[in-house]
Amino acid sequence: MTAHVEQREFQAEARQLLDLMVHSVYSDKDSFLRELISNASDALDKLRLESLRNKELDVDTSDLHIELEVNRDGRTLAVRDNGIGMTREDVVDLIGTLAKSGTAELRQRLRDAKQASESDELIGQFGVGFYSTFMVADRVELLTRKAGESEATRWVSTGDGTYTVESVDDAPQGTSVTLHLKPEDAEDELHDYTSEWKLRELVKKYSDFIAWPIRMQVERRTPPADEGGEETVSVETQTLNSMKALWAKSKDEVSEDEYKEFYKHIAHAWDDPLEVISMKAEGTFEYQALLFIPSHAPFDLFTRDAGTGVHLYVKRVFVTDDCDQLIPRYLRFVKGVVDAEDVSLNVSREILQQNRQLTAIRRRLTKKVLSTIKTLQSERPQDYRTLWTQFGAALKEGLMSDVDNQDTLLRIASFASTRGEDELTTLADYVQRMPEGQTQIFYATGQSREQLLKSPHLEAFKAKGYEVLLLTDPVDEVWTGSVTEFDGKPLQSVAKGEVDLDTEAEKAEHEAEREEQQKDFADLLTWLKETLTEHVKDVRLSTRLTESPACLITDNFGITPALARMYRASGQVVPVGKRILELNPKHPLITGLQQAYAQRADDDSALDETAELIYGTALLAEGDVPEDPARFASLIADRLARTVQ
Ligand code: ADP
Ligand code: MG
């Protein structure tokens, strides 16, 4: 074996985050201990599970525990576990890079965070796990040996952008992290992490519920037996945590802080939970559940591999944190624990896949989470608003995948609308406000509120004073295709199908005018349809435009271009659906074109170009790009040239 010491650089984002830690003024420095204990506890869970699954693994699991070791003179604090341990590759991958990185957001925020207060917030939001040690230590050593392997790894860093790794022959199985504490904290009682009392307090506060014993050697002083005798000092090992499972207690036995700390451990999160849900089911399937609704969305909520957040325990013992049978995917932001009494669940993944009991639990959890959100909505509007802003886009996925709860989901959903900039409205409130004569719930889908408000599709609704829901999450393109009504009122896209907002009286009034228009424009429409046949499947007169000359409409059951783009981006093939071009018969461009067409010469190519331009501008008006932008630009330039001659 080589004693070769390799020096390596942290990955760029990891380096930035470390730098934040080293210079941190984060008010909650103490939390480093929670992070180390949390990692140690995870490592013990993993080892226990591995030893059950892999009988070949030759490890002693009879005394799994965590140990704190203090050296007051040397000012070090070590946290050890005899858990699963890491290989050299694990160390480089897991500690040397920011495992949770890769999102543009974190990178951007790191770049922007200059002020100390901002970085404080960043730490609190993203959480920094192992790196939090650099808030209190100026040198961190990690020595680890993976269960079943003989070679161990030592990793050392001062948090300055580089670290060293070396393979070593001899180390106990598991991981120990030794912190060389910063000298400036030595005199500060609040931050003296070599003090027995400080450590006791921190374990009690942050990690009391940890299921493994957290031990520490303490000095026990016995007063002299008689006058003139000597005080005796002995050393004994104590367990600092109660190891009580919080989910087994009723809600009034647990303090808010205890729930918060448990949430942070189980969710690997740094925010506070918005709501705690405690459940107990008795009868055929017995289980207890403790669930948390976070107050911040993790930044990987919408990446494909975002895992689920509910851990499965059986009779107090951790089984898996990766059981997607326990909670539907659209509730993946919910974190917590389900502890079942049925030991058969303790077996293999395959069994978990098709277990009736898990299906029943999942149904109950789903109902409970949704009803909790409903209660928040009526009783704590501010918190509901936070929840919807953070997780609404995920919840809306349920409108498609969870038909049983579709109605509940529609009721707890809220949407932006043309009514007010900052307000969200529920569908029920929208329906309440619908004026006499309005029979449908109108919505527009698109990229942003600003873009939608300018869209020609909205003109008639604005003119009429009808409220339109403005849906700007990508998922809105999808669920609106499968949900057709709410409370008996059809949902209608402003960019789809025919729109007729006239009342019966208005219809009668406009009838003659409409007939006249149909006659006048008939030839033009036929010609346009032919000319643009490559692009559109029909050309007709519009009743939805008041200002723009033209717009493009999708069939009521057709696929919108945005949806087609989404399908294509995810690798699915979708047929190119042609749309319908609607013309505003009162717009000077359209009436002018109609006259020009009536008086055309035989080979009038300028007219063809006008048709193309009208189609292209309709695309532009909805924020899209003409199919051949260069050609479109040159057609416009030619026209403009004539206006300045
Ligand atoms: P997180 O715990 O949220 O994944 P951390 O920064 O706390 O992030 O830890 C990064 C990873 O390093 C862990 O996911 C784990 O794989 C590994 N790790 C950290 N501490 C230990 C330990 N004591 N034993 C085994 N693996 C560990
Ligand atoms: Mg961690």
Side-chain angles (χ1 to χ4, degrees), residues 35 39-40 42-43 46 81 84-86 94-95 100 128-131 175 268:
E35 295 302 313
N39 286 349
D42 289 349
K46 285 182 199 158
D81 64 72
I84 189 85
M86 287 177 271
L94 297 168
I95 309 286
K100 294 184 266 187
V128 284
F130 180 79
Y131 292 170
T175 304
H268 292 213

Side-chain angles (χ1 to χ4, degrees), residues 566-582:
M566 278 171 56
Y567 280 135
R568 252 173 266 139
S570 72
Q572 276 168 279
V573 187
V574 282
V576 194
K578 283 190 212 168
R579 291 193 288 167
I580 298 159
L581 181 67
E582 282 196 1

